[in-house]
């Protein structure tokens, strides 16, 4: 099954880094002003804020790094799954209009109401859930219906039946 990428971790990581960086720069200026003026209480408050925004910036760095690593993993996983299932086709009957819908794995999209994926029906444009689809071709490119092959035991039974008919006619 395909995985969903989480770009929100990258975005939130960038936002937290920016907020932490800008806040720390502003607080550093305030600290230098109050340090020269001799404000002991204000200096301790701004020092604590400087540390807190440092922690916010560190959390942003962790979110950004984790988001990048996860999205690289998801991209590699999805490419591997798509390559393995390139020849697989799925068939479903649209529950809204009754027409047959044929799709492959690349046609499925994720949606808020369809976490497993869906395909828009080409006739009525309404979503068809992936749960409705059945596989109609196998991974190796063969049809799902295999040709009938006779087993060697069936030929032997036919031959033995002819001999018994011949024996009955001789008697």
């Amino acid at each position: 099954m395909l995985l969903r990428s989480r770009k929100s971790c990258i975005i939130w990581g960038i936002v937290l880094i920016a907020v932490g960086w800008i806040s720390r720069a502003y607080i550093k200026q305030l600290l230098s002003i109050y340090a020269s003026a001799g404000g002991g209480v204000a200096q301790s408050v701004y020092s604590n804020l400087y540390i807190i925004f440092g922690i916010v910036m560190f959390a942003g760095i962790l979110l950004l790094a984790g988001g990048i690593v996860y999205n690289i993993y998801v991209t590699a996983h999805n490419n591997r799954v798509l390559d393995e299932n390139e020849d697989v086709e799925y068939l479903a009957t649209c529950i809204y209009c009754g027409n047959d819908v044929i799709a492959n794995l690349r046609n499925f999209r994720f949606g808020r109401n369809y976490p497993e994926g869906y395909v828009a029906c080409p006739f009525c444009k309404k979503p068809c859930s992936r749960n409705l689809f059945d596989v109609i071709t196998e991974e190796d490119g063969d049809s799902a219906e295999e040709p009938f092959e006779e087993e060697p035991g069936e030929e032997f039974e036919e031959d033995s039946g002819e001999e018994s008919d011949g024996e009955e006619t001789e008697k």
Side-chain angles (χ1 to χ4, degrees), residues 103-171:
N104 60 17
L105 202 54
R106 292 187 188 272
N107 298 123
F108 289 102
R109 294 180 280 181
F110 292 114
R112 180 180 64 200
N113 297 330
Y114 301 97
E116 71 282 351
Y118 73 95
V119 172
C121 175
F123 302 101
C124 66
K125 307 297 185 220
K126 294 189 178 176
C128 296
S129 173
R130 184 171 180 194
N131 296 334
L132 296 174
F133 285 85
D134 294 322
V135 176
I136 58 172
T137 56
E138 296 295 326
E139 289 181 16
D140 55 353
D142 295 337
S143 174
E145 299 176 357
E146 296 180 5
F148 177 75
E149 295 180 10
E150 292 185 18
E151 295 180 13
E154 293 177 3
E155 293 176 8
F156 180 74
E157 291 176 5
E158 291 176 5
D159 292 339
S160 63
E162 290 176 4
E163 290 175 6
S164 64
D165 290 339
E167 290 175 6
E168 291 177 7
T169 53
E170 290 176 8
K171 290 181 183 178

Side-chain angles (χ1 to χ4, degrees), residues 66-86:
I68 290 172
V69 168
Y70 181 75
N71 282 320
I72 289 171
Y73 166 74
V74 165
T75 302
H77 172 77
N78 288 348
N79 287 338
R80 186 178 69 247
V81 168
L82 289 172
D83 288 342
E84 290 173 357
N85 298 314
E86 187 174 355

Side-chain angles (χ1 to χ4, degrees), residues 19-105:
V19 166
W21 192 315
I22 292 169
S23 299
R24 285 175 58 100
Y26 181 69
I27 291 171
K28 191 173 186 180
Q29 280 184 337
L30 291 175
L31 275 173
S32 65
I33 291 171
Y34 283 109
S36 63
V41 175
Q43 192 174 1
S44 65
V45 169
Y46 288 129
S47 297
N48 290 337
L49 285 175
Y50 190 76
I51 292 170
I52 289 172
F53 282 111
I55 293 170
V56 168
M57 198 166 76
F58 181 71
I61 291 170
L62 289 178
L63 267 175
L64 179 65
I68 290 172
V69 168
Y70 181 75
N71 282 320
I72 289 171
Y73 166 74
V74 165
T75 302
H77 172 77
N78 288 348
N79 287 338
R80 186 178 69 247
V81 168
L82 289 172
D83 288 342
E84 290 173 357
N85 298 314
E86 187 174 355
D87 297 331
V88 179
E89 289 184 339
Y90 299 91
L91 174 69
T93 303
C94 179
I95 59 174
Y96 300 106
C97 65
N99 291 313
D100 287 339
V101 179
I102 297 176
N104 60 17
L105 202 54

